[in-house]
Amino acid sequence: MNSDTPPTIDDVAATAGVSRSTVSRVINDDPRVSDDSRAAVGRAIRDLCYTPNGAARSLARTRRISTD
């Protein structure tokens, strides 16, 4: 990760030792994530000062709505 760019979901996943899907599930409060994985992702998010990209989240929501 370049210090000039904000951390990505991939950076969080690598730091936590989980998949990017698991990070997404934690962010979206999916109950299927184990407590250990949830804690690891939470630590990585805090350590990296990660915040979800609002534009990407909006685009993902728009795609989900338009394909239903």
Side-chain angles (χ1 to χ4, degrees):
M1 178 178 72
N2 183 340
S3 63
D4 294 338
T5 59
T8 65
I9 194 170
D10 292 320
D11 297 324
V12 173
T15 300
V18 299
S19 70
R20 72 183 316 226
S21 297
T22 299
V23 175
S24 178
R25 288 183 185 110
V26 170
I27 291 168
N28 292 299
D29 203 27
D30 188 309
R32 295 177 292 173
V33 180
S34 73
D35 291 339
D36 289 343
S37 292
R38 191 175 299 278
V41 170
R43 281 190 301 274
I45 286 172
R46 282 189 303 277
D47 291 349
L48 297 173
C49 299
Y50 171 79
T51 56
N53 182 309
R57 288 178 63 91
S58 177
L59 181 60
R61 264 189 230 114
T62 301
R63 284 186 184 160
R64 272 197 305 253
I65 293 169
S66 65
T67 61
D68 289 344

